[in-house]
Short mmCIF file of all heavy atoms in Angstrom, two decimals:
data_model
loop_
_atom_site.label_atom_id
_atom_site.label_comp_id
_atom_site.label_asym_id
_atom_site.label_seq_id
_atom_site.Cartn_x
_atom_site.Cartn_y
_atom_site.Cartn_z
N TYR A 1061 -39.88 -0.79 45.86
CA TYR A 1061 -38.51 -1.01 45.66
C TYR A 1061 -38.14 -0.66 44.25
O TYR A 1061 -36.97 -0.20 43.98
CB TYR A 1061 -38.18 -2.47 45.97
CG TYR A 1061 -36.78 -2.94 45.70
CD1 TYR A 1061 -35.76 -2.63 46.62
CD2 TYR A 1061 -36.48 -3.68 44.53
CE1 TYR A 1061 -34.45 -3.02 46.28
CE2 TYR A 1061 -35.20 -4.08 44.31
CZ TYR A 1061 -34.22 -3.80 45.16
OH TYR A 1061 -32.95 -4.20 44.93
N LEU A 1062 -39.02 -0.95 43.30
CA LEU A 1062 -38.78 -0.69 41.86
C LEU A 1062 -39.15 0.64 41.40
O LEU A 1062 -38.67 1.20 40.38
CB LEU A 1062 -39.47 -1.73 41.10
CG LEU A 1062 -39.15 -3.18 41.18
CD1 LEU A 1062 -40.04 -4.04 40.32
CD2 LEU A 1062 -37.71 -3.43 41.01
N ALA A 1063 -40.00 1.34 42.25
CA ALA A 1063 -40.65 2.54 41.78
C ALA A 1063 -41.36 2.32 40.46
O ALA A 1063 -41.43 3.19 39.55
CB ALA A 1063 -39.62 3.68 41.67
N SER A 1064 -42.06 1.16 40.41
CA SER A 1064 -42.71 0.78 39.16
C SER A 1064 -43.82 -0.22 39.53
O SER A 1064 -43.98 -0.48 40.77
CB SER A 1064 -41.81 0.18 38.17
OG SER A 1064 -42.51 -0.15 36.97
N ARG A 1065 -44.48 -0.81 38.59
CA ARG A 1065 -45.49 -1.84 38.85
C ARG A 1065 -44.91 -3.17 38.38
O ARG A 1065 -44.14 -3.28 37.38
CB ARG A 1065 -46.77 -1.55 38.08
CG ARG A 1065 -47.59 -0.53 38.76
CD ARG A 1065 -48.88 -0.22 37.94
NE ARG A 1065 -49.83 -1.35 37.99
CZ ARG A 1065 -50.54 -1.70 39.06
NH1 ARG A 1065 -50.51 -0.94 40.13
NH2 ARG A 1065 -51.42 -2.67 39.02
N ASP A 1066 -45.16 -4.26 39.16
CA ASP A 1066 -44.76 -5.63 38.75
C ASP A 1066 -45.91 -6.17 37.82
O ASP A 1066 -46.88 -6.63 38.38
CB ASP A 1066 -44.53 -6.44 39.93
CG ASP A 1066 -43.97 -7.83 39.62
OD1 ASP A 1066 -43.67 -7.97 38.40
OD2 ASP A 1066 -43.78 -8.63 40.51
N ALA A 1067 -45.71 -6.07 36.51
CA ALA A 1067 -46.79 -6.37 35.59
C ALA A 1067 -46.47 -7.60 34.73
O ALA A 1067 -47.29 -7.91 33.85
CB ALA A 1067 -47.21 -5.19 34.74
N THR A 1068 -45.33 -8.15 34.86
CA THR A 1068 -44.89 -9.29 34.02
C THR A 1068 -44.58 -10.51 34.79
O THR A 1068 -44.52 -10.45 36.10
CB THR A 1068 -43.63 -8.96 33.20
OG1 THR A 1068 -42.63 -8.65 34.04
CG2 THR A 1068 -43.93 -7.69 32.36
N ILE A 1069 -44.47 -11.63 34.20
CA ILE A 1069 -44.16 -12.88 34.91
C ILE A 1069 -43.00 -12.88 35.75
O ILE A 1069 -42.88 -13.26 36.81
CB ILE A 1069 -44.30 -14.08 33.95
CG1 ILE A 1069 -45.64 -14.23 33.28
CG2 ILE A 1069 -43.90 -15.35 34.60
CD1 ILE A 1069 -45.82 -15.27 32.16
N MET A 1070 -41.82 -12.42 35.06
CA MET A 1070 -40.54 -12.54 35.59
C MET A 1070 -40.07 -11.27 36.41
O MET A 1070 -39.11 -11.39 37.20
CB MET A 1070 -39.49 -12.72 34.49
CG MET A 1070 -39.70 -14.07 33.74
SD MET A 1070 -38.43 -14.36 32.63
CE MET A 1070 -38.70 -13.01 31.42
N GLY A 1071 -40.73 -10.15 36.18
CA GLY A 1071 -40.26 -8.92 36.88
C GLY A 1071 -39.11 -8.32 36.19
O GLY A 1071 -39.21 -7.24 35.50
N SER A 1072 -37.96 -8.91 36.23
CA SER A 1072 -36.78 -8.54 35.39
C SER A 1072 -36.82 -9.15 34.01
O SER A 1072 -37.10 -10.28 33.91
CB SER A 1072 -35.50 -8.91 36.17
OG SER A 1072 -35.36 -8.08 37.36
N ARG A 1073 -36.49 -8.35 33.07
CA ARG A 1073 -36.52 -8.88 31.72
C ARG A 1073 -35.15 -8.45 31.08
O ARG A 1073 -34.60 -7.38 31.31
CB ARG A 1073 -37.62 -8.23 30.90
CG ARG A 1073 -39.00 -8.64 31.44
CD ARG A 1073 -40.15 -8.00 30.64
NE ARG A 1073 -40.06 -6.57 30.51
CZ ARG A 1073 -40.25 -5.71 31.46
NH1 ARG A 1073 -40.61 -6.17 32.70
NH2 ARG A 1073 -40.19 -4.43 31.25
N ASN A 1074 -34.66 -9.37 30.20
CA ASN A 1074 -33.42 -9.13 29.48
C ASN A 1074 -33.57 -7.80 28.62
O ASN A 1074 -34.37 -7.75 27.69
CB ASN A 1074 -33.16 -10.29 28.57
CG ASN A 1074 -31.85 -10.20 27.85
OD1 ASN A 1074 -31.28 -9.10 27.69
ND2 ASN A 1074 -31.31 -11.29 27.27
N GLY A 1075 -32.84 -6.79 28.96
CA GLY A 1075 -32.91 -5.53 28.28
C GLY A 1075 -32.19 -5.53 26.95
O GLY A 1075 -32.46 -4.66 26.11
N HIS A 1076 -31.37 -6.48 26.67
CA HIS A 1076 -30.67 -6.59 25.40
C HIS A 1076 -31.64 -7.13 24.26
O HIS A 1076 -31.63 -6.81 23.13
CB HIS A 1076 -29.46 -7.56 25.48
CG HIS A 1076 -28.29 -6.93 26.19
ND1 HIS A 1076 -27.47 -6.10 25.66
CD2 HIS A 1076 -27.97 -7.03 27.53
CE1 HIS A 1076 -26.53 -5.66 26.58
NE2 HIS A 1076 -26.92 -6.24 27.78
N ALA A 1077 -32.55 -8.09 24.72
CA ALA A 1077 -33.39 -8.76 23.74
C ALA A 1077 -34.20 -7.82 22.85
O ALA A 1077 -34.28 -7.90 21.68
CB ALA A 1077 -34.26 -9.83 24.41
N PRO A 1078 -34.98 -6.83 23.57
CA PRO A 1078 -35.80 -5.93 22.72
C PRO A 1078 -35.00 -5.08 21.77
O PRO A 1078 -35.42 -4.62 20.68
CB PRO A 1078 -36.47 -5.04 23.76
CG PRO A 1078 -35.78 -5.21 25.02
CD PRO A 1078 -35.19 -6.59 24.95
N ILE A 1079 -33.66 -4.79 22.10
CA ILE A 1079 -32.82 -4.02 21.19
C ILE A 1079 -32.56 -4.87 19.94
O ILE A 1079 -32.53 -4.37 18.78
CB ILE A 1079 -31.50 -3.62 21.82
CG1 ILE A 1079 -31.88 -2.80 23.07
CG2 ILE A 1079 -30.63 -2.83 20.89
CD1 ILE A 1079 -30.61 -2.37 23.98
N PHE A 1080 -32.25 -6.17 20.09
CA PHE A 1080 -32.05 -7.02 19.01
C PHE A 1080 -33.27 -7.10 18.02
O PHE A 1080 -33.18 -7.03 16.82
CB PHE A 1080 -31.67 -8.47 19.43
CG PHE A 1080 -30.24 -8.59 19.85
CD1 PHE A 1080 -29.84 -8.38 21.15
CD2 PHE A 1080 -29.21 -8.93 18.96
CE1 PHE A 1080 -28.57 -8.53 21.59
CE2 PHE A 1080 -27.89 -9.03 19.30
CZ PHE A 1080 -27.53 -8.83 20.64
N LEU A 1081 -34.48 -7.26 18.72
CA LEU A 1081 -35.70 -7.34 17.96
C LEU A 1081 -36.03 -5.98 17.26
O LEU A 1081 -36.38 -5.93 16.05
CB LEU A 1081 -36.86 -7.67 18.86
CG LEU A 1081 -36.81 -9.04 19.60
CD1 LEU A 1081 -38.04 -9.22 20.43
CD2 LEU A 1081 -36.68 -10.16 18.59
N TRP A 1082 -35.72 -4.88 17.97
CA TRP A 1082 -36.00 -3.54 17.37
C TRP A 1082 -35.16 -3.38 16.17
O TRP A 1082 -35.54 -2.82 15.13
CB TRP A 1082 -35.74 -2.45 18.46
CG TRP A 1082 -35.72 -1.10 17.99
CD1 TRP A 1082 -36.76 -0.20 17.92
CD2 TRP A 1082 -34.63 -0.34 17.45
NE1 TRP A 1082 -36.49 0.95 17.37
CE2 TRP A 1082 -35.15 1.00 17.09
CE3 TRP A 1082 -33.21 -0.60 17.24
CZ2 TRP A 1082 -34.32 1.96 16.55
CZ3 TRP A 1082 -32.45 0.43 16.72
CH2 TRP A 1082 -32.96 1.64 16.36
N TYR A 1083 -33.90 -3.83 16.20
CA TYR A 1083 -32.92 -3.70 15.17
C TYR A 1083 -33.40 -4.39 13.87
O TYR A 1083 -33.39 -3.83 12.72
CB TYR A 1083 -31.57 -4.13 15.59
CG TYR A 1083 -30.42 -3.98 14.56
CD1 TYR A 1083 -29.70 -2.77 14.60
CD2 TYR A 1083 -30.08 -4.97 13.73
CE1 TYR A 1083 -28.66 -2.62 13.72
CE2 TYR A 1083 -29.05 -4.78 12.76
CZ TYR A 1083 -28.33 -3.60 12.78
OH TYR A 1083 -27.33 -3.42 11.93
N THR A 1084 -33.84 -5.60 14.04
CA THR A 1084 -34.31 -6.41 12.92
C THR A 1084 -35.63 -5.90 12.36
O THR A 1084 -35.82 -5.79 11.21
CB THR A 1084 -34.51 -7.88 13.34
OG1 THR A 1084 -33.28 -8.42 13.75
CG2 THR A 1084 -35.01 -8.77 12.19
N LEU A 1085 -36.57 -5.51 13.22
CA LEU A 1085 -37.87 -5.01 12.79
C LEU A 1085 -37.64 -3.70 11.95
O LEU A 1085 -38.33 -3.50 10.91
CB LEU A 1085 -38.83 -4.73 13.92
CG LEU A 1085 -39.17 -6.03 14.76
CD1 LEU A 1085 -40.16 -5.53 15.84
CD2 LEU A 1085 -39.75 -7.09 13.92
N ASN A 1086 -36.77 -2.92 12.36
CA ASN A 1086 -36.52 -1.66 11.63
C ASN A 1086 -35.82 -1.89 10.31
O ASN A 1086 -36.05 -1.35 9.28
CB ASN A 1086 -35.64 -0.71 12.45
CG ASN A 1086 -36.47 0.22 13.35
OD1 ASN A 1086 -36.96 1.18 12.87
ND2 ASN A 1086 -36.52 -0.10 14.58
N LYS A 1087 -34.91 -2.93 10.34
CA LYS A 1087 -34.10 -3.27 9.11
C LYS A 1087 -34.99 -3.92 8.09
O LYS A 1087 -34.82 -3.65 6.86
CB LYS A 1087 -32.94 -4.25 9.59
CG LYS A 1087 -31.97 -4.49 8.46
CD LYS A 1087 -30.80 -5.42 9.05
CE LYS A 1087 -29.83 -5.68 7.94
NZ LYS A 1087 -28.74 -6.54 8.45
N LYS A 1088 -36.00 -4.74 8.44
CA LYS A 1088 -36.77 -5.49 7.42
C LYS A 1088 -38.18 -4.90 7.22
O LYS A 1088 -38.63 -4.83 6.10
CB LYS A 1088 -36.85 -6.99 7.97
CG LYS A 1088 -35.56 -7.68 7.99
CD LYS A 1088 -35.72 -9.18 8.41
CE LYS A 1088 -34.36 -9.82 8.50
NZ LYS A 1088 -34.59 -11.22 8.90
N GLY A 1089 -38.83 -4.52 8.25
CA GLY A 1089 -40.17 -3.97 8.07
C GLY A 1089 -41.17 -5.05 7.70
O GLY A 1089 -40.80 -6.19 7.41
N TYR A 1090 -42.44 -4.66 7.56
CA TYR A 1090 -43.49 -5.52 7.10
C TYR A 1090 -43.22 -6.15 5.78
O TYR A 1090 -43.37 -7.37 5.55
CB TYR A 1090 -44.81 -4.89 7.13
CG TYR A 1090 -45.38 -4.43 8.49
CD1 TYR A 1090 -45.50 -3.13 8.81
CD2 TYR A 1090 -45.63 -5.35 9.47
CE1 TYR A 1090 -45.96 -2.69 10.13
CE2 TYR A 1090 -46.05 -5.04 10.72
CZ TYR A 1090 -46.29 -3.73 11.05
OH TYR A 1090 -46.67 -3.33 12.31
N ARG A 1091 -42.77 -5.37 4.80
CA ARG A 1091 -42.52 -5.85 3.44
C ARG A 1091 -41.39 -6.88 3.45
O ARG A 1091 -41.46 -7.86 2.74
CB ARG A 1091 -42.23 -4.69 2.49
CG ARG A 1091 -43.43 -3.88 2.14
CD ARG A 1091 -43.12 -2.89 0.99
NE ARG A 1091 -42.12 -1.88 1.36
CZ ARG A 1091 -42.48 -0.77 1.98
NH1 ARG A 1091 -43.76 -0.48 2.17
NH2 ARG A 1091 -41.53 0.14 2.35
N GLY A 1092 -40.32 -6.61 4.25
CA GLY A 1092 -39.20 -7.49 4.27
C GLY A 1092 -39.67 -8.92 4.80
O GLY A 1092 -39.29 -9.87 4.34
N PHE A 1093 -40.46 -8.89 5.88
CA PHE A 1093 -40.90 -10.11 6.48
C PHE A 1093 -41.82 -10.87 5.50
O PHE A 1093 -41.80 -12.13 5.43
CB PHE A 1093 -41.61 -9.88 7.78
CG PHE A 1093 -40.69 -9.74 8.98
CD1 PHE A 1093 -40.55 -8.50 9.55
CD2 PHE A 1093 -39.97 -10.74 9.46
CE1 PHE A 1093 -39.66 -8.33 10.69
CE2 PHE A 1093 -39.05 -10.61 10.55
CZ PHE A 1093 -39.00 -9.34 11.11
N GLN A 1094 -42.65 -10.14 4.80
CA GLN A 1094 -43.50 -10.79 3.77
C GLN A 1094 -42.70 -11.52 2.73
O GLN A 1094 -43.01 -12.67 2.33
CB GLN A 1094 -44.36 -9.70 3.13
CG GLN A 1094 -45.44 -10.37 2.17
CD GLN A 1094 -46.43 -9.29 1.59
OE1 GLN A 1094 -45.97 -8.19 1.38
NE2 GLN A 1094 -47.62 -9.69 1.39
N LYS A 1095 -41.61 -10.91 2.24
CA LYS A 1095 -40.77 -11.59 1.27
C LYS A 1095 -40.06 -12.80 1.88
O LYS A 1095 -39.96 -13.85 1.22
CB LYS A 1095 -39.65 -10.58 0.77
CG LYS A 1095 -40.28 -9.45 -0.12
CD LYS A 1095 -39.14 -8.56 -0.52
CE LYS A 1095 -39.67 -7.36 -1.40
NZ LYS A 1095 -38.59 -6.46 -1.76
N GLU A 1096 -39.71 -12.74 3.05
CA GLU A 1096 -38.99 -13.80 3.72
C GLU A 1096 -39.92 -15.02 3.96
O GLU A 1096 -39.57 -16.16 3.81
CB GLU A 1096 -38.33 -13.42 5.01
CG GLU A 1096 -37.16 -12.44 4.77
CD GLU A 1096 -36.46 -12.04 6.05
OE1 GLU A 1096 -36.90 -12.40 7.15
OE2 GLU A 1096 -35.42 -11.45 5.99
N VAL A 1097 -41.17 -14.71 4.36
CA VAL A 1097 -42.19 -15.73 4.54
C VAL A 1097 -42.45 -16.42 3.30
O VAL A 1097 -42.50 -17.72 3.23
CB VAL A 1097 -43.51 -15.15 5.17
CG1 VAL A 1097 -44.61 -16.16 5.16
CG2 VAL A 1097 -43.24 -14.72 6.62
N GLN A 1098 -42.64 -15.69 2.23
CA GLN A 1098 -42.88 -16.34 0.91
C GLN A 1098 -41.76 -17.24 0.44
O GLN A 1098 -41.92 -18.29 -0.13
CB GLN A 1098 -43.17 -15.16 -0.11
CG GLN A 1098 -44.46 -14.51 0.10
CD GLN A 1098 -44.56 -13.28 -0.77
OE1 GLN A 1098 -43.70 -12.86 -1.52
NE2 GLN A 1098 -45.75 -12.62 -0.75
#
Side-chain angles (χ1 to χ4, degrees):
Y1061 175 79
L1062 300 178
S1064 181
R1065 286 179 67 78
D1066 186 3
T1068 62
I1069 295 173
M1070 297 184 295
S1072 291
R1073 299 179 306 286
N1074 182 342
H1076 290 274
I1079 302 176
F1080 282 90
L1081 297 180
W1082 174 89
Y1083 185 87
T1084 297
L1085 298 182
N1086 271 283
K1087 187 176 180 180
K1088 296 181 179 179
Y1090 292 117
R1091 285 191 295 271
F1093 280 110
Q1094 185 176 33
K1095 291 179 181 178
E1096 292 183 351
V1097 168
Q1098 292 171 353

